[in-house]
Amino acid sequence: MSADVDLWAVPLAVFAGAIRAGSPFLFVSLGECLTERGGRINLGLEGALVMGAMSAYGGAVLSGSPWLGLLAAIVAGGLLGLLHGLICSLPRVNDIAVGIGLMLLGIGLAFFLGKPFIQPRAPGLPAFELGAWSSNPLVREALRINVLFPLGLAACALMHLALTRTRWGLALRCVGDSQDTARALGLPILRLRLSATALGGALAGIGGASLSLFYPGSWNEGLSSGQGLMAVALVVFARWQPWRCLYAALLFGGAGALGPALQAAGVTGAYHLFNAAPYVLTLALMAFASERTGAPGELRLSR
Amino acid sequence: MAALELEVVDLGKRFGDFVALQGVSTKVAAGSFHALLGENGAGKSTLVKCIVGYQMPDEGAILVDRREREIRHPADADALGLGMVYQHFTLAPGLSVLENLVLARPRLPAVLDWAAERARLEAFLDTAPLHVPLDAPVATLAAGQKQKAEILKQLYLDRRFLILDEPTSVLTPQEADEVLGLLHGLTRAGRLSVLMISHKFREVEAFCDEVTVLRRGRYVGRGGVAELGRERMAALMMGSEALPEPPARAARVPGVTRLRVADLAVHDDKGVAAVAGMGFDVRAGEIVGLAGVSGNGQRELVEALLGQRAVAAGVLEVDGAAYRGSRAEIDRAGLASLPEEPLKNACVPQMSVADNLALRSFDRPPQTRLGWLRRGTIRARGRELIAAFQVRTPGPDAPIAALSGGNVQRAVLARELAQPRALLIVANPVFGLDFASAAAIHQRLMAARNAGAAVLLVSEDLDEILALADRVLVISGGRIVHETTPAAADRHTLGRHMAAH
Ligand SMILES: Nc1ncnc2c1ncn2[C@@H]1O[C@H](COP(=O)(O)OP(=O)(O)OP(=O)(O)O)[C@@H](O)[C@H]1O
Ligand SMILES: [Mg+2]
C-alpha cells in the first residue's frame, strides 16, 4: 500500500470507529442522562453495561437469536437500574456509593454467570451495508452501520421529546431540579425516579449488547473499558441534553478509534498514547467543561 | 368558585419530645383575610404546613366548609382548593416560570401542547395584575419576581383558600401593597379566603380583617384587627415578657477608620461586575447604613467583605492593613457578621446548634485541649448562648436546619456577638424576625456602636436604616450614588437614588 492511501484511511477509520465504538457510549450516556435528569447519579451503569453485554451474548447463544439476546440485555440492565433506584429511595443512602456497589455487583455477576459463554459463538446483530456500492474494502467496512446505531438515534429523539413534550418528562425534570418543589406539588417522586433509573439501566444494557453482539462482538471479561463510568463525564459535557450526548458519544468513539487507525496507517510511535485518547478526553472535559449550566439541581456532584 | 371556610380544632404536633403545637383551634371565615401572628418559633409555619398536608398533625381535625377532611398529602389540599405560598421559595429553580406553572396545573395531559398551554396562561395573565417573564429560568429571577411567580401560580390554580407564609419579606413595600391589594380584592369579591403569616403590623392593619395569635405552640387569642389594635396584638404575642426598650443612641464622635473600601470591584457568579468603583469608610463608633434595592451588588459586596468572594480589584483595608477575609484577618479585625440567608451563608445546616455556635472558636481553648475537641464544653457553651440570646430550639443537639427562620438568625447572632467586637457587618439583620426579636437585635447593634464598634448595616428596609444609622449611603448598580444623614434624609430623594439604576 502506498503512503497516501494509508493516510486517507485514517479519517475514514475514525468515522467508522465513531459510530461503531460510539454506540455503547451513546446508549450508556443516554441512560446516565436520563437518570441524572431525575436527580440521581448512577455509577452502577457500568455494571448494567457489563451485565447487559453478558446477558445479550448468553441470550443469543441459548436462543439462537440476537434479538432475544438484546431483550435479555434490556431486562438485565433495567433490573439493575431499578435496584439502584430502590436502594437510593431508602433514607440516608448515598447514590454514588450505591452506584459503586452495583457496578461491582453487576460486573461480578456477569463474570460469574458468563463463564460458560466465553467459548461459544453467538449470532451477531445485523448491520446495514451502506458501503456496498464501493469496491474499496475500507469504505465498505466503514459504512457498515450496526442496527443499534439508528436505534440510538431514535432513542435520542424520543428522549428529547419525552423530556420536553410530555408530562412525565416535565415532572421528572422537576424532581431532578428540586425535590422540595416536587413534594409541594405532590408529584410521585419515587415512581418518577424509579422509571428514570430503570429506563437508564435498560439503555446501558443495550450499550452492553452492542459491545458483545456487534463490536467487538464477543463475550469476555475485558469487554468493557469503563464506558459506563465515562458516561458520567460525557453527560456533563453534554449538559444533560440527549442530542449533545450523541455528539459526545461520537467524539469519544472516534477518539477510541484513533490509536488503531494510526497504527494501521503505519504510525506506531505513540500507539499507547493514542489508545488512551478517550481517557485523556474524559479528563480534559472534566477539567474544562466547568460550566455547569443545565445541571439538575438535585445532583450532589453539581453543587 | 366561592371562597372556602376553614377551621382547625385542637391541632397538635410534636417533633420528637418537642411540642411545636398543642390544642390549637381557630376559624377563618369564607372570604376573609386572616392574619396568623406569633413570635419566631411560635409554630405558625408548622400550623399551616399541617393544614396543607406538608406535615401530618399528631392530633386534631381540619374542617373545610364545615366538613372534616383528611389532608395527608399536598395533593389532598390541592383537590380541596387549598393552596400555600411557602416561607421559602418552592418553584423549581432550573425550570422556567411557564414550565413551573404548567406542571402545577391539574388535569395536565400526558403529552404537552406548549402552544396551547402558553395561550391559556397568557389569557389568564391578562386578568392578573402581576407580571413576570415566562421563559426565564426561575433561578435567574430577582426575589420579588420569584414571589410574584409563586402567587401567580396559586391564582392560576384557581385557589379558593390561600395560605401565605411571610409573603412580603422579600418584597419592597410598594410590591407588597400591590400583591396584597390584589389578594384583598379577591377576598372582597368572595372568590378567595386568605390566611397570612406576617410580622409586619402595617400590612396586617392595612389588609387583614381578623387575627389569630399563637405563643409557644398554643393558641392565645383571636379577634378583629380594628378591635384589638396594635398594642393588644403585641401584648398577646409577647405574653408576660417585657418589650425591649427602643435602642438609645449615645452621643459620640466617630473615631478612627476601621474599614476602608476604595475603588472596589467584585464580580458575580457569572463573572459580570456586580460591584465597581465602590468606595466608603466605616469608623469606630458609627453605624453606616447601606440602603438599596436588592440585587444592586449588596450580596457580592458583603460576600467580598467576609472573604466568601474574591475581590477583582481595588482596596479593602481593615485598621489600615490590607484585608482579604482570611480567618486570621477576621480574628485580628474583631469582625462579626450576619450575612443574608444565614442558614445558607453562615451555618452548616445539618450540624447541631451547639456545633454551629462553636464555629468561630471551636479550635481554641477551652473548647479544644491539645488539639482535641471537648464536646462537653462545646455543648455547655452552646447552652449558655442559647439561653442568653433566647434561641428557641428543641436542644443544643438539634440540627440548626430544624430551627425556625428567626431562630437561626438569633443563633448566628449569638455566635457572632458572644464576645465584644470591633467591626460588625450585617445584612438585613431582622429579615423575617418578629418585632420583639427585631427590637432586641437593633438594641444589640446600637449597643455595639455605643461601645465603639464600627457597624456596616446593609438593608433593604429604609425604616431600619433611618432608625439606626449615623450616616446613610445609597447603593445602586454596584456603586455608591448618594450619601446623607438620617436627619437630613428625605425618603423621596433616597427612593429616587435607589431606583437610579
Ligand atoms: N422538622 C422539624 N424538626 C424539629 N423541630 C422543628 C421542625 N420544624 C419546626 N421545628 C420547631 O418547631 C418550632 C416552630 O417552628 P415554626 O417554623 O412553625 O415557627 P414559626 O412560628 O413559623 O417561626 P418564624 O416566624 O421564625 O418563621 C420551632 O421551635 C422549630 O425549631
Ligand atoms: Mg415560619
Side-chain angles (χ1 to χ4, degrees), chain B residues 218-258:
Chain B
R218 288 166 193 271
Y219 166 87
V220 288
R222 54 171 286 163
V225 172
E227 290 95 83
L228 286 177
R230 204 178 273 219
E231 296 286 298
R232 187 87 190 96
M233 290 193 275
L236 280 173
M237 282 171 68
M238 297 290 302
S240 54
E241 291 165 47
L243 264 175
E245 302 281 310
R249 183 188 307 271
R252 60 173 299 154
V253 235
V256 294
T257 298
R258 278 266 153 73

Side-chain angles (χ1 to χ4, degrees), chain A residues 164-167 173-174 177 181, chain B residues 90 92-94 99 108 110 112 114:
Chain A
T164 55
R165 299 283 175 84
T166 69
R167 183 178 62 204
R173 284 192 285 140
C174 178
D177 193 47
T181 306
Chain B
T90 60
E99 287 172 330
L108 191 63
L112 305 175
W114 283 110

Side-chain angles (χ1 to χ4, degrees), chain B residues 116-136:
Chain B
E117 294 294 344
R118 184 182 293 273
R120 204 182 129 113
L121 188 60
E122 274 167 359
F124 159 76
L125 283 179
D126 287 340
T127 68
L130 291 173
H131 292 280
V132 271
L134 286 184
D135 294 305

Side-chain angles (χ1 to χ4, degrees), chain A residues 19-28 49 52-53 56-57 70 73 125 146-149 203-218 223 227:
Chain A
I19 291 183
R20 204 169 47 201
S23 295
F25 274 122
L26 175 59
F27 282 104
V28 74
L49 179 95
Y57 203 81
L70 182 64
L125 284 165
N146 74 78
V147 287
L148 290 182
F149 186 70
L203 283 167
I206 303 181
S210 97
L211 285 176
S212 64
L213 293 183
F214 185 76
Y215 178 81
S218 62
L223 190 59
Q227 283 96 336

Side-chain angles (χ1 to χ4, degrees), chain B residues 141-469:
Chain B
L141 299 182
Q145 283 179 317
K146 279 187 204 164
Q147 188 64 293
K148 285 187 193 169
E150 298 270 359
I151 290 173
L152 212 50
K153 176 173 121 186
Q154 296 299 328
L155 296 181
Y156 188 53
L157 298 181
D158 273 334
R159 297 302 193 204
R160 301 159 66 196
F161 191 101
L162 188 56
I163 296 171
L164 304 164
D165 194 346
E166 298 184 39
T168 60
S169 48
V170 293
L171 304 185
T172 64
Q174 291 81 347
E175 283 176 323
D177 286 351
E178 185 190 333
V179 168
L180 296 181
L182 162 76
L183 295 175
H184 188 255
L186 290 175
T187 62
R188 288 309 87 117
R191 288 175 51 194
L192 188 70
S193 317
V194 177
L195 174 61
M196 172 173 83
I197 298 177
S198 178
H199 290 298
K200 299 180 185 167
F201 284 126
R202 187 189 70 82
E203 286 169 1
V204 172
E205 284 171 338
F207 297 103
C208 298
D209 308 312
E210 286 187 308
V211 293
T212 294
V213 184
L214 297 184
R215 186 163 71 233
R216 303 199 174 204
R218 288 166 193 271
Y219 166 87
V220 288
R222 54 171 286 163
V225 172
E227 290 95 83
L228 286 177
R230 204 178 273 219
E231 296 286 298
R232 187 87 190 96
M233 290 193 275
L236 280 173
M237 282 171 68
M238 297 290 302
S240 54
E241 291 165 47
L243 264 175
E245 302 281 310
R249 183 188 307 271
R252 60 173 299 154
V253 235
V256 294
T257 298
R258 278 266 153 73
L259 173 68
R260 189 166 92 86
V261 175
D263 268 333
L264 188 74
V266 183
H267 294 169
D268 67 9
D269 293 334
K270 297 200 191 75
V272 181
V275 169
M278 163 90 64
F280 61 87
D281 292 344
V282 185
R283 288 166 295 173
E286 71 168 351
I287 298 181
V288 173
L290 194 59
V293 180
S294 80
N296 273 286
Q298 294 98 319
R299 190 164 63 86
E300 289 80 4
L301 171 69
V302 170
E303 284 176 359
L305 292 177
L306 301 183
Q308 291 177 317
R309 187 176 284 274
V311 169
V315 180
L316 195 55
E317 284 179 0
V318 172
D319 294 328
Y323 162 92
R324 282 293 178 272
S326 72
R327 191 153 189 255
E329 286 171 335
I330 285 177
D331 271 349
R332 213 173 314 128
L335 179 121
S337 63
L338 178 68
E340 60 181 26
E341 289 189 66
L343 184 61
K344 200 173 116 203
N345 290 321
C347 297
V348 188
Q350 294 309 324
M351 266 167 47
S352 72
V353 176
D355 286 352
N356 271 287
L357 285 171
L359 283 182
R360 284 263 186 229
S361 55
F362 68 93
D363 55 350
R364 297 190 193 114
Q367 278 126 309
T368 298
R369 190 166 51 194
L370 304 173
W372 291 86
L373 293 181
R374 301 167 73 192
R375 314 261 0 144
T377 316
I378 289 179
R379 287 186 72 219
R381 212 183 84 104
R383 276 222 183 77
E384 280 165 29
L385 287 175
I386 286 168
F389 283 76
Q390 288 146 26
V391 182
R392 207 147 293 160
T393 162
D397 300 322
I400 197 160
L403 264 55
S404 79
N407 280 298
V408 172
Q409 210 119 333
R410 287 192 208 185
V412 173
L413 268 171
R415 175 181 82 206
E416 298 294 315
L417 297 180
Q419 56 255 53
R421 300 290 189 163
L423 177 59
L424 263 64
I425 296 176
V426 294
N428 296 314
V430 301
F431 188 101
L433 291 193
D434 64 63
F435 71 96
S437 322
I441 285 174
H442 286 161
Q443 213 173 23
R444 286 187 192 274
L445 293 180
M446 189 57 85
R449 167 209 176 267
N450 291 344
V455 181
L456 177 65
L457 167 67
V458 181
S459 174
E460 288 158 39
D461 181 351
L462 211 47
D463 294 322
E464 176 174 44
I465 290 203
L466 292 177
L468 292 178

